[in-house]
Amino acid sequence: MHEFLEAFRFIAHNGAIAGAPGLPTLTHLALETLRVAAIGLAISVVIAVPLGVWLGHIHRGSFAAINLGNIGRALPSLAVLAIGDAILGLGLTVVELALVVLAVPPIVTNAYLGVDGVDRDLVDAARGMGMSGFEIIRRVELPLAVGPLFAGIRTAAVFVVSTTTIASLAGFSGSLGDVIANETSYHFSGVLGAAICVAALALAVEGVLTLVQRVLTPRGLRLAEHERSGPLDPEAAIA
Amino acid sequence: MAQAAELELRGVSKRYAGQREPAIHGLSFTVPAGDVCVLVGPSGSGKTTALRLINRMIPTTSGDILLGGRSVLEREPKELRREIGYVIQQIGLFPHQTVGENIATVPRLLGWHKDRIHARVTELLELIDLDPAEMRERYPAQLSGGQRQRVGVARALAADPPLMLMDEPFGAIDPINRGRLQDEFLRLQAKVKKTVVFVTHDIDEAIKMGDRIAILREGGVLAQYDTPREILTHPADDFVAQFVGADRGLKRLALTTLAEVRLIEPDTMTREPSANGALRLPRETSVRDALSLMLTADGEPASVLDDEGNVEGLLTLALIEQMLSDEAAEAPHAGAGAGSSTVIEQTAEGGR
Amino acid sequence: MAAAAGSIVASVVAAGEPVIPNYGAQSSSCVVHNHLFCTDWVSHNWGPVLWPALRGHILLALVAVGIGFVISLALALAAYRYGCLERPTTVITTILYTIPSLALFELLVAPVGPNVYSAEIALVSYTLLILFRNILTGLRGVPAEVLEAAEGMGMSRRQALVRVELPLALPAIVAGLRIAVVTIIALATIVYTIYNAGLGVPIHTALGEGPFKTELIAAGGLAILLALTADALLVLVQRLLTPWTRARAT
Ligand SMILES: Nc1ncnc2c1ncn2[C@@H]1O[C@H](COP(=O)(O)OP(=O)(O)O)[C@@H](O)[C@H]1O
Ligand SMILES: [Mg+2]
């Protein structure tokens, strides 16, 4: 456990290594990681949520929505980054592209499942009261689908944070992964310290998103819902 | 095992943990071997509880239950249950097993030889009027509601149990098919002659199916245990009277066929069918149906035909009225009571 | 360990001059000019490079999913019986699932060492949440009346579990296995950072050589193809194991 002590010392010194000046601080790298990840997640949410919600609203495209999620999971982050690198050359754009490719599928799938699964009687009742399609989405389907929708966003967030650090393996610099990928400069204690920071960062992101979800979930649903407790079923909507 | 066994409940009580009032309170009755006893009562009166006490799915608080003279409380529960057929409203067929495998469940648990199981499944499928060649390999999802229910009954009969417990077996079936399943079950019961405890909350079903009826009231107290005819003629108290309904006179008439009525001798003149009124009824018709038809025909008397189609006698409204008041005046267990069980079966087969 | 990865960064930073490795007599002009995809390189290097990496990858994934399944099944059966175990198990497996792979591998290196055990422990830990949740949901989805019938006919708890509950939970279990397998195959590309195995190895080599596009695309593509093939195989297995799910009223 000596290594862990050393690792915590490295964290306490904010990533400073004796005899190696000019290295970026851990705080800086953590913030950079968050920035890169947040951009990717934001773009993905902007693309995927409307798409999934719309598909769910019209109850179409279950096959595409579900299989997109499956294929998304099948893509190894490193392979996506590497192929992006091979074709386009690595840079922030390619990293963000990779993040979007990995984050869009789970969000689309879960948004689709969430909205598609809203009780049709409720939607009928809303229509009967004279709500327009958009009002139904905003006032009935979205609030009721918050659970699955956020399950998708949280899964995507895990992918995005993880992939941002993996980008360092492909040669992209500007995240905590840089430390892990560079044992030569940082020694194992630095690598371990950065790993601890990465784990903490990912858990913090998950925690914050859980809180956001709790705030956004209608109070009536909060009691009954076991967030994220449904089965993960790649064929849920097909069957 | 094939022989039906007598079932006796002796002061059986059940109080669920954490419940203040007992669900079953001092329940005592005896079902003779081979009889159908219907447990009837409002929802929550403890019918399901009573059944589950008998096969030890739940522990008894006090009292004793004897099957074939032997206390079930000293039996190993799993072994006991394999010896008691059990049918529930939702049937509970195993969706992942074929009809054949479902029916073979208990024989397999009992370790029967494969050939014997196969033969038994064939026999049971034939008994419930399903073609073994076609139905054996089907899955429950490929059956109609009625077929599923019949397979459920066949599964319960598989190891030829001396006792069958049936908890609202036809409760989820539409009225037309329910009637058909009831008739079918009575025909089946006439062949297999099991001791049956049959739960329902429907008094009409109870009257139709039961050799004897046990009426439970709230709190699991036995209100009356008697033949359907006795219960309709002499309800023990207001609760029973109300439960069997204000139309109990009519229900009683449903238990009697024209064949049992002492009809008015026809004139020799009118023995020719053509010489009589428009209404001509076969002797298997229930008195209730006859009454209904006569009322529709402006109260005209009806001619009752024997099996050859000759007029056997005349039925008038006055005669029916007479029957009702006579029966009500009779002492309990007198008169037609003794033959009531056969009457029920005939009525049932007549199709109500 | 991460030492190897560190050197990539160095070499990538130093990139600029032609960095195509010398593949000796076999080097085609396609390889020399680092075109997008050179089939001749793939056929020459299938035996010495790609196949061993693919085989290692399959092995890593199979072992991880196998062990993960056994653990998850035990956890799910326990939580099925004792409901109070669900919450803590979910919390712990969610935490494990959330920790990024790159970090978890390194965190395991400290106590376990840079070896196959660290790799498998990390991969197994990523299967737990998925499999646990799906198995438990599958078991809980068995209709109450089916259980009552099983009990009423005199099945013991064990008989009901083996003959009724587990078979009926199979669709949910296989659904979980599909997700777990695909996820693990994807994650196993990172194993190379602590242990020299899997398709991450050729990806790493190719990144360090320029990058060498053909090898990147071949190895990355193999990882993706492997995941999709495994998924398709599991669909097939499910069809064979659960014929009743396709039985419909005729
Ligand atoms: N497992 C149980 N625990 C506690 N109370 C129960 C349980 N099962 C039934 N009860 C209670 O016992 C009474 C009788 O229930 P039940 O036997 O199901 O009635 P019925 O089948 O006649 O509708 C009801 O008040 C019911 O709430
Ligand atoms: Mg009941």
Side-chain angles (χ1 to χ4, degrees):
Chain A
M1 294 300 99
H2 169 74
E3 284 139 324
F4 278 101
L5 275 182
E6 287 294 312
F8 281 113
R9 192 163 295 140
F10 171 77
I11 296 170
H13 290 149
N14 202 6
I17 301 273
L23 290 174
T25 62
L26 279 178
T27 323
H28 172 76
L29 287 174
L31 288 175
E32 273 301 293
T33 310
L34 272 182
R35 189 175 68 92
V36 173
I39 293 173
L41 189 62
I43 298 173
S44 306
V45 166
V46 167
I47 296 172
V49 170
L51 181 62
V53 168
W54 180 68
L55 285 175
H57 177 69
I58 60 174
H59 303 289
R60 294 264 173 78
S62 71
F63 187 80
I66 305 302
N67 281 291
L68 187 65
N70 255 2
I71 292 171
R73 244 189 304 262
L75 299 177
S77 308
L78 185 60
V80 174
L81 286 161
I83 292 172
D85 184 9
I87 298 172
L88 301 169
L90 200 67
L92 183 63
T93 322
V94 166
V95 171
E96 295 295 356
L97 196 67
L99 295 185
V100 170
V101 165
L102 291 165
V104 161
I107 305 179
V108 170
T109 304
N110 283 279
Y112 170 83
L113 290 177
V115 174
D116 182 61
V118 170
D119 189 346
R120 304 255 176 137
D121 291 344
L122 288 177
V123 176
D124 269 356
R127 190 163 290 131
M129 285 183 276
M131 286 193 197
S132 69
F134 182 74
E135 281 168 332
I136 290 173
I137 292 179
R138 201 176 68 81
R139 297 177 57 183
V140 180
E141 290 176 332
L142 269 184
L144 289 175
V146 162
L149 190 66
F150 257 82
I153 294 178
R154 281 156 61 183
T155 304
V158 171
F159 283 2
V160 163
V161 172
S162 174
T163 304
T164 305
T165 56
I166 287 173
S168 303
L169 296 181
F172 173 78
S173 100
S175 82
L176 283 168
D178 294 1
V179 180
I180 301 178
N182 188 0
E183 191 171 357
T184 324
S185 315
Y186 286 98
H187 313 294
F188 183 64
S189 57
V191 169
L192 190 58
I196 293 169
C197 292
V198 168
L201 190 72
L203 291 171
V205 167
E206 166 86 7
V208 167
L209 285 175
T210 308
L211 277 180
V212 174
Q213 173 178 356
R214 206 155 284 173
V215 171
L216 289 181
T217 305
R219 198 174 298 161
L221 285 181
R222 239 175 283 170
L223 299 165
E225 285 248 336
H226 257 241
E227 354 85 63
R228 258 194 170 192
S229 67
L232 290 162
D233 188 346
E235 284 185 313
I238 299 169
Chain B
M1 210 191 279
Q3 212 63 36
E6 181 187 78
L7 175 72
E8 184 181 356
L9 275 70
R10 283 190 191 158
V12 173
S13 293
K14 169 67 187 178
R15 197 162 56 83
Y16 285 105
Q19 223 84 338
R20 235 190 287 134
E21 301 299 322
I24 290 288
H25 191 76
L27 196 58
S28 295
F29 60 81
T30 302
V31 187
D35 267 13
V36 177
C37 163
V38 178
L39 262 182
V40 66
S43 152
S45 56
K47 308 179 294 289
T48 298
T49 302
L51 275 200
R52 291 162 64 92
L53 288 173
I54 296 170
N55 70 357
R56 298 199 56 191
M57 305 250 307
I58 47 176
T60 306
T61 309
S62 64
D64 201 359
I65 299 169
L66 299 139
L67 178 60
R70 190 174 164 203
S71 171
V72 301
L73 301 181
E74 20 183 86
R75 307 280 307 271
E76 211 279 309
K78 286 194 293 284
E79 190 195 308
L80 175 74
R81 287 177 207 146
R82 291 172 193 176
E83 232 174 77
I84 297 179
Y86 186 55
V87 183
I88 53 177
Q89 177 177 330
Q90 308 86 342
I91 317 173
L93 290 184
F94 300 144
H96 62 300
Q97 294 185 349
T98 61
V99 166
E101 291 168 330
N102 264 287
I103 295 177
T105 305
V106 177
R108 271 192 196 163
L109 289 172
L110 292 173
W112 286 16
H113 189 268
K114 233 176 62 195
D115 299 337
R116 184 174 169 210
I117 293 178
H118 188 90
R120 180 63 178 156
V121 169
T122 309
E123 184 185 345
L124 283 162
L125 282 170
E126 279 162 0
L127 194 66
I128 57 168
D129 273 334
L130 293 179
D131 177 14
E134 190 191 345
M135 305 306 274
R136 186 195 295 269
E137 296 305 323
R138 287 219 188 156
Y139 286 103
Q142 297 167 307
L143 303 179
S144 71
Q147 287 173 331
R148 260 175 241 169
Q149 192 52 261
R150 280 143 72 193
V151 173
V153 172
R155 183 173 70 171
L157 281 170
D160 207 6
L163 172 68
M164 294 271 284
L165 305 177
M166 307 178 77
D167 194 350
E168 309 207 19
F170 310 136
I173 311 267
D174 65 89
I176 292 176
N177 280 305
R178 189 187 314 153
R180 209 169 283 160
L181 282 166
Q182 288 167 345
D183 296 339
E184 209 172 89
F185 178 73
L186 288 168
R187 263 198 300 275
L188 188 65
Q189 166 64 2
K191 278 188 232 165
V192 298
K193 297 217 170 48
K194 299 292 174 193
T195 307
V196 178
V197 182
F198 185 110
V199 163
T200 178
H201 60 257
D202 174 2
I203 185 67
D204 290 308
E205 186 169 60
I207 293 167
K208 177 171 175 177
M209 308 299 284
D211 296 317
R212 292 164 168 275
I213 297 178
I215 299 186
L216 289 182
R217 69 170 96 232
E218 260 100 313
V221 177
L222 187 63
Q224 188 166 4
Y225 181 55
D226 236 319
T227 61
R229 187 176 296 264
E230 269 309 305
I231 281 174
L232 290 171
T233 319
H234 304 288
D237 54 22
D238 287 349
F239 170 79
V240 177
Q242 201 170 8
F243 191 76
V244 297
D247 62 341
R248 65 173 192 271
L250 286 176
K251 284 175 177 149
R252 216 159 66 218
L253 292 180
L255 291 177
T256 314
T257 64
L258 297 182
E260 297 165 80
V261 177
R262 217 174 306 124
L263 300 164
I264 298 171
E265 276 292 315
D267 299 341
T268 37
M269 295 292 292
T270 53
R271 233 175 235 290
E272 276 296 301
S274 54
N276 281 281
L279 215 49
R280 288 194 299 278
L281 304 170
R283 64 203 301 267
E284 299 82 34
T285 314
S286 76
V287 179
R288 179 181 180 156
D289 289 349
L291 174 64
S292 169
L293 290 165
M294 286 160 72
L295 290 175
T296 323
D298 293 328
E300 289 251 338
S303 327
V304 178
L305 306 183
D306 62 20
D307 294 340
E308 276 81 49
N310 295 318
V311 175
E312 197 178 316
L314 280 183
L315 182 70
T316 63
L317 289 179
L319 189 61
I320 296 175
E321 211 176 319
Q322 183 69 36
M323 277 174 63
L324 280 171
S325 52
D326 282 358
E327 266 189 20
E330 273 169 19
H333 305 296
S340 63
S341 66
T342 39
V343 173
I344 293 161
E345 274 175 26
Q346 285 172 7
T347 317
E349 282 184 298
R352 294 176 52 196
Chain C
M1 246 204 274
S7 69
I8 308 174
V9 179
S11 67
V12 168
V13 170
E17 69 268 34
V19 282
I20 304 310
N22 179 10
Y23 287 102
Q26 291 167 350
S27 290
S28 64
S29 87
C30 176
V31 171
V32 171
H33 292 104
N34 198 7
H35 288 315
L36 195 56
F37 194 71
C38 309
T39 46
D40 60 312
W41 184 89
V42 174
S43 53
H44 283 309
N45 288 277
W46 178 259
V49 178
L50 292 174
W51 169 239
L54 180 62
R55 198 183 46 205
H57 205 90
I58 294 172
L59 212 62
L60 279 172
L62 271 182
V63 170
V65 174
I67 296 174
F69 181 75
V70 172
I71 297 175
S72 307
L73 183 65
L75 289 171
L77 286 176
Y80 182 52
R81 187 105 175 238
Y82 310 101
C84 58
L85 292 178
E86 182 188 359
R87 193 128 261 248
T89 312
T90 306
V91 168
I92 293 169
T93 53
T94 302
I95 290 174
L96 289 174
Y97 186 79
T98 305
I99 298 176
S101 46
L102 192 59
L104 186 56
F105 284 128
E106 296 298 346
L107 290 175
L108 283 164
V109 165
V112 182
N115 50 36
V116 69
Y117 300 110
S118 289
E120 289 294 357
I121 293 172
L123 292 179
V124 165
S125 74
Y126 286 119
T127 66
L128 299 181
L129 175 65
I130 299 162
L131 292 174
F132 169 74
R133 205 159 63 191
N134 270 56
I135 298 171
L136 188 58
T137 313
L139 289 171
R140 293 222 174 117
V142 177
E145 69 266 19
V146 169
L147 292 180
E148 174 162 3
E151 193 194 349
M153 283 187 289
M155 284 194 190
S156 65
R157 268 192 114 115
R158 197 195 177 82
Q159 284 168 328
L161 184 69
V162 172
R163 298 182 189 204
V164 179
E165 291 163 281
L166 282 175
L168 284 176
L170 257 185
I173 294 175
V174 179
L177 274 175
R178 287 174 60 188
I179 300 174
V181 162
V182 164
T183 305
I184 292 313
I185 289 175
L187 286 172
T189 49
I190 309 298
V191 163
Y192 84 88
T193 57
I194 60 162
Y195 173 66
N196 191 39
L199 285 163
V201 174
I203 293 179
H204 164 68
T205 317
L207 281 168
E209 286 165 353
F212 174 41
K213 294 176 187 172
T214 299
E215 190 169 8
L216 279 186
I217 293 172
L222 273 179
I224 295 168
L225 269 179
L226 179 62
L228 296 180
T229 310
D231 191 44
L233 272 178
L234 279 169
V235 172
L236 211 71
V237 167
Q238 164 155 15
R239 290 187 145 244
L240 291 177
L241 287 182
T242 61
W244 71 90
T245 55
R246 278 167 293 122
R248 288 282 163 267
T250 45

